[in-house]
Amino acid sequence: RRLEEQLEHSTRLAELGEMAAAISHELNQPLTGIRNYARNAFYMLDQGVGSEEEVKGNLRLIADQVDRAARIINEMRELTRRSERHFTRLDFNGVVRESVEFLLPQMKLSGVEVELSLAPDLPDTWGDRIRLAQVFLNLLNNARQAMEDARNRRLTISSSWDPCTGLVRVEVRDTGKGFSEEDGRKLFVPFFTTKKSGLGTGLGLSISKNIVKDHGGTIEAAGSPGKGATFAVVLPGAREEGEQGQ
Ligand code: ADP
């Protein structure tokens, strides 16, 4: 038992070490940018070279990098936050529908055709409405971005449930660029991103995974290059009225 505890402790320390290395790497990028742009601006003013526009351009880039660092820190906080949970009995289809409706204008702008196919008899679930919506917003946004260069842009969101296990499943399927087997193994690793620099922090899916895990559920991804991706969120359904399913 003691050995087990020691092992768990050292695993956690190793994870913490990896995480710390990843965080310093991520924050170093904007910091290096800020230093370079600040030096540029200083040099131009000091030597009286470069136009006012060029100096302003450097200052703007500094502000962008500060925003990026702040975003990384905020999302990091999100990744480790556990305490503020507001669990209630939820109409899971409702959460999915709200998230989709929230992003519909953006989907339209991006030329994405949206199909919603929700099981009418889906059992309720127990959960934090806002945090679960955050999971779907993230999956839907990722899907939209993955389809940016696709000719056929179709997003299918479906829900279903298994009466034997009582598990409720929501799938978000897109016709985007998909991912390689190697990338598929890293999707949920903090800071893994293939998005153009500055666009992604690589924290969305790790945050989503934590939220779903906190709900006693799982999140899976399937896909292949050029053939789109499917992300599935599986949660335990709530039991009969009055009996807490968690
Ligand atoms: P970010 O969106 O900031 O990159 P995420 O953790 O949300 O961070 O996603 C990590 C990576 O997973 C993305 O950069 C992308 O490579 C991949 N990914 C996520 N969703 C999809 C999708 N629907 N299709 C293809 N790749 C995806």
Side-chain angles (χ1 to χ4, degrees), residues 78-96:
E78 191 66 31
L79 193 61
T80 48
R81 192 176 70 174
R82 292 205 72 137
S83 48
E84 301 156 40
R85 303 190 305 174
H86 303 285
F87 273 54
T88 55
R89 197 182 175 100
L90 291 176
D91 160 20
F92 203 31
N93 277 339
V95 180
V96 175

mmCIF file with all atom_site columns, all heavy atoms in Angstrom, residues 78-96:
data_model
loop_
_atom_site.group_PDB
_atom_site.id
_atom_site.type_symbol
_atom_site.label_atom_id
_atom_site.label_alt_id
_atom_site.label_comp_id
_atom_site.label_asym_id
_atom_site.label_entity_id
_atom_site.label_seq_id
_atom_site.pdbx_PDB_ins_code
_atom_site.Cartn_x
_atom_site.Cartn_y
_atom_site.Cartn_z
_atom_site.occupancy
_atom_site.B_iso_or_equiv
_atom_site.pdbx_formal_charge
_atom_site.auth_seq_id
_atom_site.auth_comp_id
_atom_site.auth_asym_id
_atom_site.auth_atom_id
_atom_site.pdbx_PDB_model_num
ATOM 1   N N   . GLU A 1 78 ? -8.169  27.501 -15.350 1.00 0.00 ? 78 GLU A N   1
ATOM 2   C CA  . GLU A 1 78 ? -9.353  26.701 -15.670 1.00 0.00 ? 78 GLU A CA  1
ATOM 3   C C   . GLU A 1 78 ? -9.034  25.205 -15.562 1.00 0.00 ? 78 GLU A C   1
ATOM 4   O O   . GLU A 1 78 ? -9.827  24.412 -15.074 1.00 0.00 ? 78 GLU A O   1
ATOM 5   C CB  . GLU A 1 78 ? -9.757  27.044 -17.102 1.00 0.00 ? 78 GLU A CB  1
ATOM 6   C CG  . GLU A 1 78 ? -11.078 26.547 -17.535 1.00 0.00 ? 78 GLU A CG  1
ATOM 7   C CD  . GLU A 1 78 ? -12.191 27.214 -16.776 1.00 0.00 ? 78 GLU A CD  1
ATOM 8   O OE1 . GLU A 1 78 ? -12.044 28.386 -16.381 1.00 0.00 ? 78 GLU A OE1 1
ATOM 9   O OE2 . GLU A 1 78 ? -13.190 26.533 -16.564 1.00 0.00 ? 78 GLU A OE2 1
ATOM 10  N N   . LEU A 1 79 ? -7.833  24.867 -15.983 1.00 0.00 ? 79 LEU A N   1
ATOM 11  C CA  . LEU A 1 79 ? -7.419  23.470 -16.009 1.00 0.00 ? 79 LEU A CA  1
ATOM 12  C C   . LEU A 1 79 ? -7.302  22.889 -14.604 1.00 0.00 ? 79 LEU A C   1
ATOM 13  O O   . LEU A 1 79 ? -7.513  21.701 -14.391 1.00 0.00 ? 79 LEU A O   1
ATOM 14  C CB  . LEU A 1 79 ? -6.064  23.385 -16.723 1.00 0.00 ? 79 LEU A CB  1
ATOM 15  C CG  . LEU A 1 79 ? -5.549  22.028 -17.148 1.00 0.00 ? 79 LEU A CG  1
ATOM 16  C CD1 . LEU A 1 79 ? -6.508  21.407 -18.138 1.00 0.00 ? 79 LEU A CD1 1
ATOM 17  C CD2 . LEU A 1 79 ? -4.186  22.170 -17.785 1.00 0.00 ? 79 LEU A CD2 1
ATOM 18  N N   . THR A 1 80 ? -6.952  23.732 -13.653 1.00 0.00 ? 80 THR A N   1
ATOM 19  C CA  . THR A 1 80 ? -6.716  23.209 -12.304 1.00 0.00 ? 80 THR A CA  1
ATOM 20  C C   . THR A 1 80 ? -7.888  23.473 -11.364 1.00 0.00 ? 80 THR A C   1
ATOM 21  O O   . THR A 1 80 ? -7.910  22.959 -10.253 1.00 0.00 ? 80 THR A O   1
ATOM 22  C CB  . THR A 1 80 ? -5.451  23.854 -11.701 1.00 0.00 ? 80 THR A CB  1
ATOM 23  O OG1 . THR A 1 80 ? -5.540  25.251 -11.903 1.00 0.00 ? 80 THR A OG1 1
ATOM 24  C CG2 . THR A 1 80 ? -4.197  23.330 -12.376 1.00 0.00 ? 80 THR A CG2 1
ATOM 25  N N   . ARG A 1 81 ? -8.857  24.284 -11.827 1.00 0.00 ? 81 ARG A N   1
ATOM 26  C CA  . ARG A 1 81 ? -9.988  24.616 -10.954 1.00 0.00 ? 81 ARG A CA  1
ATOM 27  C C   . ARG A 1 81 ? -10.893 23.407 -10.763 1.00 0.00 ? 81 ARG A C   1
ATOM 28  O O   . ARG A 1 81 ? -11.284 22.768 -11.723 1.00 0.00 ? 81 ARG A O   1
ATOM 29  C CB  . ARG A 1 81 ? -10.783 25.764 -11.583 1.00 0.00 ? 81 ARG A CB  1
ATOM 30  C CG  . ARG A 1 81 ? -11.786 26.360 -10.628 1.00 0.00 ? 81 ARG A CG  1
ATOM 31  C CD  . ARG A 1 81 ? -12.451 27.535 -11.254 1.00 0.00 ? 81 ARG A CD  1
ATOM 32  N NE  . ARG A 1 81 ? -13.346 27.124 -12.345 1.00 0.00 ? 81 ARG A NE  1
ATOM 33  C CZ  . ARG A 1 81 ? -14.133 27.955 -12.990 1.00 0.00 ? 81 ARG A CZ  1
ATOM 34  N NH1 . ARG A 1 81 ? -14.128 29.220 -12.694 1.00 0.00 ? 81 ARG A NH1 1
ATOM 35  N NH2 . ARG A 1 81 ? -14.918 27.521 -13.955 1.00 0.00 ? 81 ARG A NH2 1
ATOM 36  N N   . ARG A 1 82 ? -11.195 23.099 -9.544  1.00 0.00 ? 82 ARG A N   1
ATOM 37  C CA  . ARG A 1 82 ? -12.058 21.946 -9.302  1.00 0.00 ? 82 ARG A CA  1
ATOM 38  C C   . ARG A 1 82 ? -13.210 22.287 -8.378  1.00 0.00 ? 82 ARG A C   1
ATOM 39  O O   . ARG A 1 82 ? -14.240 21.650 -8.421  1.00 0.00 ? 82 ARG A O   1
ATOM 40  C CB  . ARG A 1 82 ? -11.254 20.816 -8.647  1.00 0.00 ? 82 ARG A CB  1
ATOM 41  C CG  . ARG A 1 82 ? -10.222 20.210 -9.545  1.00 0.00 ? 82 ARG A CG  1
ATOM 42  C CD  . ARG A 1 82 ? -9.943  18.828 -9.116  1.00 0.00 ? 82 ARG A CD  1
ATOM 43  N NE  . ARG A 1 82 ? -11.092 17.985 -9.472  1.00 0.00 ? 82 ARG A NE  1
ATOM 44  C CZ  . ARG A 1 82 ? -10.962 16.798 -9.987  1.00 0.00 ? 82 ARG A CZ  1
ATOM 45  N NH1 . ARG A 1 82 ? -9.806  16.295 -10.191 1.00 0.00 ? 82 ARG A NH1 1
ATOM 46  N NH2 . ARG A 1 82 ? -12.030 16.076 -10.281 1.00 0.00 ? 82 ARG A NH2 1
ATOM 47  N N   . SER A 1 83 ? -12.990 23.296 -7.519  1.00 0.00 ? 83 SER A N   1
ATOM 48  C CA  . SER A 1 83 ? -13.916 23.462 -6.400  1.00 0.00 ? 83 SER A CA  1
ATOM 49  C C   . SER A 1 83 ? -15.283 24.027 -6.789  1.00 0.00 ? 83 SER A C   1
ATOM 50  O O   . SER A 1 83 ? -16.302 23.536 -6.307  1.00 0.00 ? 83 SER A O   1
ATOM 51  C CB  . SER A 1 83 ? -13.265 24.345 -5.349  1.00 0.00 ? 83 SER A CB  1
ATOM 52  O OG  . SER A 1 83 ? -12.723 25.476 -5.982  1.00 0.00 ? 83 SER A OG  1
ATOM 53  N N   . GLU A 1 84 ? -15.290 25.020 -7.699  1.00 0.00 ? 84 GLU A N   1
ATOM 54  C CA  . GLU A 1 84 ? -16.571 25.686 -7.953  1.00 0.00 ? 84 GLU A CA  1
ATOM 55  C C   . GLU A 1 84 ? -17.443 24.872 -8.892  1.00 0.00 ? 84 GLU A C   1
ATOM 56  O O   . GLU A 1 84 ? -17.476 25.104 -10.086 1.00 0.00 ? 84 GLU A O   1
ATOM 57  C CB  . GLU A 1 84 ? -16.322 27.065 -8.585  1.00 0.00 ? 84 GLU A CB  1
ATOM 58  C CG  . GLU A 1 84 ? -15.490 27.965 -7.736  1.00 0.00 ? 84 GLU A CG  1
ATOM 59  C CD  . GLU A 1 84 ? -14.799 29.028 -8.572  1.00 0.00 ? 84 GLU A CD  1
ATOM 60  O OE1 . GLU A 1 84 ? -15.441 29.551 -9.490  1.00 0.00 ? 84 GLU A OE1 1
ATOM 61  O OE2 . GLU A 1 84 ? -13.625 29.300 -8.306  1.00 0.00 ? 84 GLU A OE2 1
ATOM 62  N N   . ARG A 1 85 ? -18.142 23.899 -8.333  1.00 0.00 ? 85 ARG A N   1
ATOM 63  C CA  . ARG A 1 85 ? -19.018 23.102 -9.178  1.00 0.00 ? 85 ARG A CA  1
ATOM 64  C C   . ARG A 1 85 ? -20.463 23.331 -8.756  1.00 0.00 ? 85 ARG A C   1
ATOM 65  O O   . ARG A 1 85 ? -20.768 23.388 -7.582  1.00 0.00 ? 85 ARG A O   1
ATOM 66  C CB  . ARG A 1 85 ? -18.692 21.624 -9.041  1.00 0.00 ? 85 ARG A CB  1
ATOM 67  C CG  . ARG A 1 85 ? -17.259 21.314 -9.358  1.00 0.00 ? 85 ARG A CG  1
ATOM 68  C CD  . ARG A 1 85 ? -17.050 19.846 -9.444  1.00 0.00 ? 85 ARG A CD  1
ATOM 69  N NE  . ARG A 1 85 ? -17.482 19.170 -8.230  1.00 0.00 ? 85 ARG A NE  1
ATOM 70  C CZ  . ARG A 1 85 ? -17.505 17.856 -8.126  1.00 0.00 ? 85 ARG A CZ  1
ATOM 71  N NH1 . ARG A 1 85 ? -17.188 17.093 -9.129  1.00 0.00 ? 85 ARG A NH1 1
ATOM 72  N NH2 . ARG A 1 85 ? -17.878 17.307 -6.992  1.00 0.00 ? 85 ARG A NH2 1
ATOM 73  N N   . HIS A 1 86 ? -21.318 23.466 -9.747  1.00 0.00 ? 86 HIS A N   1
ATOM 74  C CA  . HIS A 1 86 ? -22.735 23.632 -9.435  1.00 0.00 ? 86 HIS A CA  1
ATOM 75  C C   . HIS A 1 86 ? -23.497 22.536 -10.144 1.00 0.00 ? 86 HIS A C   1
ATOM 76  O O   . HIS A 1 86 ? -23.954 22.722 -11.269 1.00 0.00 ? 86 HIS A O   1
ATOM 77  C CB  . HIS A 1 86 ? -23.215 25.015 -9.869  1.00 0.00 ? 86 HIS A CB  1
ATOM 78  C CG  . HIS A 1 86 ? -22.428 26.125 -9.253  1.00 0.00 ? 86 HIS A CG  1
ATOM 79  N ND1 . HIS A 1 86 ? -22.578 26.498 -7.937  1.00 0.00 ? 86 HIS A ND1 1
ATOM 80  C CD2 . HIS A 1 86 ? -21.446 26.905 -9.749  1.00 0.00 ? 86 HIS A CD2 1
ATOM 81  C CE1 . HIS A 1 86 ? -21.731 27.468 -7.665  1.00 0.00 ? 86 HIS A CE1 1
ATOM 82  N NE2 . HIS A 1 86 ? -21.034 27.735 -8.744  1.00 0.00 ? 86 HIS A NE2 1
ATOM 83  N N   . PHE A 1 87 ? -23.614 21.414 -9.490  1.00 0.00 ? 87 PHE A N   1
ATOM 84  C CA  . PHE A 1 87 ? -24.281 20.275 -10.110 1.00 0.00 ? 87 PHE A CA  1
ATOM 85  C C   . PHE A 1 87 ? -25.797 20.351 -9.929  1.00 0.00 ? 87 PHE A C   1
ATOM 86  O O   . PHE A 1 87 ? -26.277 20.578 -8.829  1.00 0.00 ? 87 PHE A O   1
ATOM 87  C CB  . PHE A 1 87 ? -23.763 18.966 -9.493  1.00 0.00 ? 87 PHE A CB  1
ATOM 88  C CG  . PHE A 1 87 ? -22.533 18.447 -10.180 1.00 0.00 ? 87 PHE A CG  1
ATOM 89  C CD1 . PHE A 1 87 ? -21.417 19.249 -10.335 1.00 0.00 ? 87 PHE A CD1 1
ATOM 90  C CD2 . PHE A 1 87 ? -22.491 17.152 -10.681 1.00 0.00 ? 87 PHE A CD2 1
ATOM 91  C CE1 . PHE A 1 87 ? -20.272 18.775 -10.972 1.00 0.00 ? 87 PHE A CE1 1
ATOM 92  C CE2 . PHE A 1 87 ? -21.353 16.672 -11.318 1.00 0.00 ? 87 PHE A CE2 1
ATOM 93  C CZ  . PHE A 1 87 ? -20.245 17.482 -11.461 1.00 0.00 ? 87 PHE A CZ  1
ATOM 94  N N   . THR A 1 88 ? -26.503 20.178 -11.024 1.00 0.00 ? 88 THR A N   1
ATOM 95  C CA  . THR A 1 88 ? -27.967 20.083 -10.950 1.00 0.00 ? 88 THR A CA  1
ATOM 96  C C   . THR A 1 88 ? -28.389 18.976 -11.911 1.00 0.00 ? 88 THR A C   1
ATOM 97  O O   . THR A 1 88 ? -27.582 18.492 -12.710 1.00 0.00 ? 88 THR A O   1
ATOM 98  C CB  . THR A 1 88 ? -28.662 21.390 -11.409 1.00 0.00 ? 88 THR A CB  1
ATOM 99  O OG1 . THR A 1 88 ? -28.191 21.697 -12.718 1.00 0.00 ? 88 THR A OG1 1
ATOM 100 C CG2 . THR A 1 88 ? -28.380 22.538 -10.458 1.00 0.00 ? 88 THR A CG2 1
ATOM 101 N N   . ARG A 1 89 ? -29.665 18.625 -11.834 1.00 0.00 ? 89 ARG A N   1
ATOM 102 C CA  . ARG A 1 89 ? -30.176 17.657 -12.792 1.00 0.00 ? 89 ARG A CA  1
ATOM 103 C C   . ARG A 1 89 ? -30.368 18.387 -14.121 1.00 0.00 ? 89 ARG A C   1
ATOM 104 O O   . ARG A 1 89 ? -30.956 19.462 -14.158 1.00 0.00 ? 89 ARG A O   1
ATOM 105 C CB  . ARG A 1 89 ? -31.518 17.116 -12.270 1.00 0.00 ? 89 ARG A CB  1
ATOM 106 C CG  . ARG A 1 89 ? -31.943 15.851 -12.934 1.00 0.00 ? 89 ARG A CG  1
ATOM 107 C CD  . ARG A 1 89 ? -33.287 15.385 -12.408 1.00 0.00 ? 89 ARG A CD  1
ATOM 108 N NE  . ARG A 1 89 ? -33.682 14.244 -13.170 1.00 0.00 ? 89 ARG A NE  1
ATOM 109 C CZ  . ARG A 1 89 ? -33.543 12.986 -12.758 1.00 0.00 ? 89 ARG A CZ  1
ATOM 110 N NH1 . ARG A 1 89 ? -33.089 12.723 -11.557 1.00 0.00 ? 89 ARG A NH1 1
ATOM 111 N NH2 . ARG A 1 89 ? -33.918 11.989 -13.544 1.00 0.00 ? 89 ARG A NH2 1
ATOM 112 N N   . LEU A 1 90 ? -29.872 17.798 -15.197 1.00 0.00 ? 90 LEU A N   1
ATOM 113 C CA  . LEU A 1 90 ? -29.841 18.531 -16.463 1.00 0.00 ? 90 LEU A CA  1
ATOM 114 C C   . LEU A 1 90 ? -30.542 17.800 -17.600 1.00 0.00 ? 90 LEU A C   1
ATOM 115 O O   . LEU A 1 90 ? -30.427 16.578 -17.718 1.00 0.00 ? 90 LEU A O   1
ATOM 116 C CB  . LEU A 1 90 ? -28.388 18.713 -16.921 1.00 0.00 ? 90 LEU A CB  1
ATOM 117 C CG  . LEU A 1 90 ? -27.480 19.633 -16.151 1.00 0.00 ? 90 LEU A CG  1
ATOM 118 C CD1 . LEU A 1 90 ? -26.084 19.558 -16.751 1.00 0.00 ? 90 LEU A CD1 1
ATOM 119 C CD2 . LEU A 1 90 ? -28.013 21.049 -16.243 1.00 0.00 ? 90 LEU A CD2 1
ATOM 120 N N   . ASP A 1 91 ? -31.209 18.587 -18.436 1.00 0.00 ? 91 ASP A N   1
ATOM 121 C CA  . ASP A 1 91 ? -31.677 18.066 -19.715 1.00 0.00 ? 91 ASP A CA  1
ATOM 122 C C   . ASP A 1 91 ? -30.452 18.192 -20.644 1.00 0.00 ? 91 ASP A C   1
ATOM 123 O O   . ASP A 1 91 ? -30.131 19.285 -21.113 1.00 0.00 ? 91 ASP A O   1
ATOM 124 C CB  . ASP A 1 91 ? -32.856 18.935 -20.177 1.00 0.00 ? 91 ASP A CB  1
ATOM 125 C CG  . ASP A 1 91 ? -33.104 18.817 -21.661 1.00 0.00 ? 91 ASP A CG  1
ATOM 126 O OD1 . ASP A 1 91 ? -32.651 17.829 -22.271 1.00 0.00 ? 91 ASP A OD1 1
ATOM 127 O OD2 . ASP A 1 91 ? -33.749 19.732 -22.216 1.00 0.00 ? 91 ASP A OD2 1
ATOM 128 N N   . PHE A 1 92 ? -29.779 17.079 -20.871 1.00 0.00 ? 92 PHE A N   1
ATOM 129 C CA  . PHE A 1 92 ? -28.498 17.104 -21.587 1.00 0.00 ? 92 PHE A CA  1
ATOM 130 C C   . PHE A 1 92 ? -28.669 17.608 -23.024 1.00 0.00 ? 92 PHE A C   1
ATOM 131 O O   . PHE A 1 92 ? -27.852 18.371 -23.540 1.00 0.00 ? 92 PHE A O   1
ATOM 132 C CB  . PHE A 1 92 ? -27.890 15.698 -21.565 1.00 0.00 ? 92 PHE A CB  1
ATOM 133 C CG  . PHE A 1 92 ? -26.402 15.693 -21.756 1.00 0.00 ? 92 PHE A CG  1
ATOM 134 C CD1 . PHE A 1 92 ? -25.607 16.739 -21.330 1.00 0.00 ? 92 PHE A CD1 1
ATOM 135 C CD2 . PHE A 1 92 ? -25.782 14.608 -22.366 1.00 0.00 ? 92 PHE A CD2 1
ATOM 136 C CE1 . PHE A 1 92 ? -24.223 16.723 -21.500 1.00 0.00 ? 92 PHE A CE1 1
ATOM 137 C CE2 . PHE A 1 92 ? -24.406 14.579 -22.542 1.00 0.00 ? 92 PHE A CE2 1
ATOM 138 C CZ  . PHE A 1 92 ? -23.628 15.639 -22.111 1.00 0.00 ? 92 PHE A CZ  1
ATOM 139 N N   . ASN A 1 93 ? -29.770 17.159 -23.656 1.00 0.00 ? 93 ASN A N   1
ATOM 140 C CA  . ASN A 1 93 ? -30.053 17.657 -25.010 1.00 0.00 ? 93 ASN A CA  1
ATOM 141 C C   . ASN A 1 93 ? -30.134 19.181 -25.010 1.00 0.00 ? 93 ASN A C   1
ATOM 142 O O   . ASN A 1 93 ? -29.681 19.834 -25.943 1.00 0.00 ? 93 ASN A O   1
ATOM 143 C CB  . ASN A 1 93 ? -31.405 17.121 -25.508 1.00 0.00 ? 93 ASN A CB  1
ATOM 144 C CG  . ASN A 1 93 ? -31.273 15.724 -26.098 1.00 0.00 ? 93 ASN A CG  1
ATOM 145 O OD1 . ASN A 1 93 ? -30.183 15.314 -26.498 1.00 0.00 ? 93 ASN A OD1 1
ATOM 146 N ND2 . ASN A 1 93 ? -32.391 15.003 -26.148 1.00 0.00 ? 93 ASN A ND2 1
ATOM 147 N N   . GLY A 1 94 ? -30.727 19.734 -23.941 1.00 0.00 ? 94 GLY A N   1
ATOM 148 C CA  . GLY A 1 94 ? -30.885 21.191 -23.835 1.00 0.00 ? 94 GLY A CA  1
ATOM 149 C C   . GLY A 1 94 ? -29.526 21.877 -23.820 1.00 0.00 ? 94 GLY A C   1
ATOM 150 O O   . GLY A 1 94 ? -29.328 22.896 -24.484 1.00 0.00 ? 94 GLY A O   1
ATOM 151 N N   . VAL A 1 95 ? -28.583 21.308 -23.073 1.00 0.00 ? 95 VAL A N   1
ATOM 152 C CA  . VAL A 1 95 ? -27.240 21.896 -22.986 1.00 0.00 ? 95 VAL A CA  1
ATOM 153 C C   . VAL A 1 95 ? -26.583 21.884 -24.368 1.00 0.00 ? 95 VAL A C   1
ATOM 154 O O   . VAL A 1 95 ? -25.982 22.865 -24.809 1.00 0.00 ? 95 VAL A O   1
ATOM 155 C CB  . VAL A 1 95 ? -26.355 21.107 -21.989 1.00 0.00 ? 95 VAL A CB  1
ATOM 156 C CG1 . VAL A 1 95 ? -24.969 21.700 -21.903 1.00 0.00 ? 95 VAL A CG1 1
ATOM 157 C CG2 . VAL A 1 95 ? -27.006 21.071 -20.613 1.00 0.00 ? 95 VAL A CG2 1
ATOM 158 N N   . VAL A 1 96 ? -26.739 20.751 -25.052 1.00 0.00 ? 96 VAL A N   1
ATOM 159 C CA  . VAL A 1 96 ? -26.140 20.613 -26.388 1.00 0.00 ? 96 VAL A CA  1
ATOM 160 C C   . VAL A 1 96 ? -26.785 21.628 -27.345 1.00 0.00 ? 96 VAL A C   1
ATOM 161 O O   . VAL A 1 96 ? -26.088 22.356 -28.065 1.00 0.00 ? 96 VAL A O   1
ATOM 162 C CB  . VAL A 1 96 ? -26.338 19.176 -26.920 1.00 0.00 ? 96 VAL A CB  1
ATOM 163 C CG1 . VAL A 1 96 ? -25.835 19.047 -28.343 1.00 0.00 ? 96 VAL A CG1 1
ATOM 164 C CG2 . VAL A 1 96 ? -25.632 18.171 -26.009 1.00 0.00 ? 96 VAL A CG2 1
#
